Amino acid sequence: MYQLNFDLNEFLTTYWHKQPVVIKKGFVDFEDPISPDELAGLAMEEEIDSRFVTNLDGNWKAQHGPFESFDEFPDTHSQLIVQAANHWHPGLRELAQPFRVLPNWLFDDVMICLSMPNGGVGPHIDQYDVFIIQGMGKRRWRVGEKGEYKDANHDSGLRQIEGFDPIIDDVLEPGDILYIPPGFPHEGNTIDVSMSYSIGYRSPKKQELLSTLADYVLTNELGDVHFYDPNLQTRDEHGMIPTSESEALNDMLMKLINDPKIKARWLGEQLSQSRHELDIMAAEPPWQADELFQFVEDNMVLEKVSGMKALYHENDLSVIYVNGEAIELPEGCEAAARLLCDQEAFTGEDLGEMASNPALLALLLDLCNQGYWYPQA
Ligand code: SIN
Ligand code: CO
């Protein structure tokens, strides 16, 4: 079990979205949740996003996985990166647990870097909040002040910048954590063969909200209504758009955007989508209703697919949003929203009286058969 050695609330007040910071011994007696060999194994998988970055003689190069073998790869000036490792490896799911008190809708993934001496990805800026946890080995990290920086090495496929003056320059050892808010330039350089784990958070941009709302409206054929003004009168200013009419058009748009159901569904569906592939496997053969019933009776554990987002709105627990899909809970089963969304797993006992609700059992059967929840072995 991983446990943070600092107060996350104090951290949030002082640093979150504000300042980078090194938290020495953020984890005490840190043990790597995965071995370098296992990580290399993940980077060989088709559905897992991986990269290998080299900087031999200052020549930056990035190759994308899956990789067939690592025999030819240099053992200095290189780094192997695996994205969303928490979706595929139980140890990384564990490592993300202490951060579950931060909202799941902001959480992105756990990225792992296996870095060889002098390996890194060069100076760059991310639009993520990230906790970089140092596992085995040692890396020197430099972080600069937020600001405008010149792009560099365009053709390497890396989004590098030229350089920056450090406000942090520190060597991270096992269990140390570096937090970097979006927009602060940073660069890690490796001293001893290292494993590091980036717990990433990403908040949406205004333009993404608008474009996903537009997609939602079009997909669901909403707002297919023209402006309507039965009181139109003549005017001398043929070319003018009267303020009252531009306001009326704006109101028309705002009514659509502020429709409570549209707002809730679009946002729920949008925020519950994962940005990385998930390990979802439909149940084969599908569960039968009586098997699930027995399972619940026996108080067994149903576990959520690792990294899959399940969310609900504070003011309406009757709808949950699972992996981008709105699902209405049966009447009287609002408490199930918390079990399904706030918890990684739940038991038959957790369901209480809801365990005898056939509509809820049918819903759980469907979720299990789609592979979203599965019986813990
Ligand atoms: C690295 O560990 O070098 C890459 C992680 C990052 O800078 O975001
Ligand atoms: Co970065």
Side-chain angles (χ1 to χ4, degrees), residues 79 111 113 120-121 124 126 132 139 141 186 196 198:
Q79 188 178 51
M111 177 181 100
C113 296
V121 294
H124 66 281
D126 295 314
I132 301 175
R139 295 184 82 198
W141 280 95
H186 55 278
S196 54
S198 299

Side-chain angles (χ1 to χ4, degrees), residues 348-360:
E349 204 173 282
D350 291 335
L351 289 171
E353 281 181 13
M354 293 183 295
S356 51
N357 183 321
L360 185 74

Side-chain angles (χ1 to χ4, degrees), residues 60-333:
W60 290 96
K61 244 171 63 185
Q63 286 169 261
H64 287 263
F67 300 99
E68 282 181 10
S69 142
F70 296 93
D71 296 346
E72 307 286 302
F73 287 165
D75 55 11
T76 69
H77 300 81
S78 66
Q79 188 178 51
L80 175 65
I81 302 165
V82 170
Q83 213 74 57
N86 56 312
H87 294 193
W88 307 96
H89 189 285
L92 280 308
R93 182 184 201 166
E94 277 292 301
L95 181 59
Q97 289 304 305
F99 296 93
R100 280 178 59 81
V101 287
L102 299 178
N104 199 14
W105 72 265
L106 281 170
F107 177 58
D108 193 43
D109 72 332
V110 183
M111 177 181 100
I112 313 182
C113 296
L114 168 59
S115 317
M116 297 297 153
N118 293 308
V121 294
H124 66 281
I125 297 176
D126 295 314
Q127 294 311 324
Y128 286 76
D129 290 271
V130 67
F131 296 92
I132 301 175
I133 304 165
Q134 181 62 47
M136 64 181 252
K138 270 190 206 158
R139 295 184 82 198
R140 176 181 174 193
W141 280 95
R142 294 163 63 252
V143 185
E145 196 55 85
K146 204 170 178 166
E148 294 289 318
Y149 293 90
K150 280 210 186 86
D151 290 342
N153 290 320
H154 294 279
D155 40 357
S156 66
L158 297 160
R159 300 163 294 105
Q160 292 183 339
I161 53 168
E162 273 182 2
F164 57 85
D165 294 325
I167 51 172
I168 288 179
D169 187 344
D170 215 334
V171 173
L172 260 62
E173 300 190 10
D176 294 345
I177 301 175
L178 168 62
Y179 164 73
I180 311 173
F184 287 77
H186 55 278
E187 174 175 24
N189 208 337
T190 312
I191 300 170
D192 295 330
V193 177
S194 149
M195 294 278 275
S196 54
Y197 309 90
S198 299
I199 313 272
Y201 291 83
R202 186 183 188 281
S203 52
K205 294 190 219 189
K206 277 188 202 174
Q207 49 179 234
E208 288 165 357
L209 292 179
L210 190 59
S211 88
T212 58
L213 173 63
D215 287 345
Y216 180 87
V217 165
L218 293 174
T219 308
N220 293 285
E221 296 180 17
L222 302 166
D224 192 9
V225 182
H226 287 272
F227 176 65
Y228 173 74
D229 180 8
N231 302 317
L232 190 70
Q233 293 185 345
T234 61
R235 66 190 65 150
D236 291 336
E237 301 84 355
H238 177 59
M240 178 176 73
I241 304 166
T243 307
S244 63
E245 287 168 17
S246 73
E247 287 296 323
L249 288 170
N250 193 60
D251 282 354
M252 178 176 154
L253 178 62
M254 288 306 149
K255 273 209 186 87
L256 177 74
I257 293 180
N258 281 321
D259 178 293
K261 187 164 174 188
I262 295 178
K263 223 166 39 173
R265 298 275 167 129
W266 148 65
L267 207 52
E269 290 185 12
Q270 178 56 29
L271 297 179
S272 64
Q273 273 170 35
S274 177
R275 293 161 50 83
H276 307 275
E277 188 121 7
L278 291 153
D279 190 13
I280 295 174
M281 276 189 301
E284 194 48 63
W287 286 65
Q288 300 303 312
D290 56 343
E291 286 175 299
L292 182 72
F293 183 74
Q294 194 55 50
F295 199 85
V296 168
E297 283 273 286
D298 294 346
N299 198 28
M300 312 270 279
V301 178
L302 284 176
E303 191 160 4
K304 186 156 58 187
V305 160
S306 186
M308 186 184 74
K309 287 185 201 269
L311 307 171
Y312 59 89
H313 288 294
E314 182 182 8
N315 61 0
D316 182 8
L317 276 71
S318 70
V319 184
I320 58 170
Y321 301 89
V322 179
N323 202 25
E325 191 189 332
I327 299 173
E328 293 190 23
L329 293 175
E331 230 181 286
C333 292

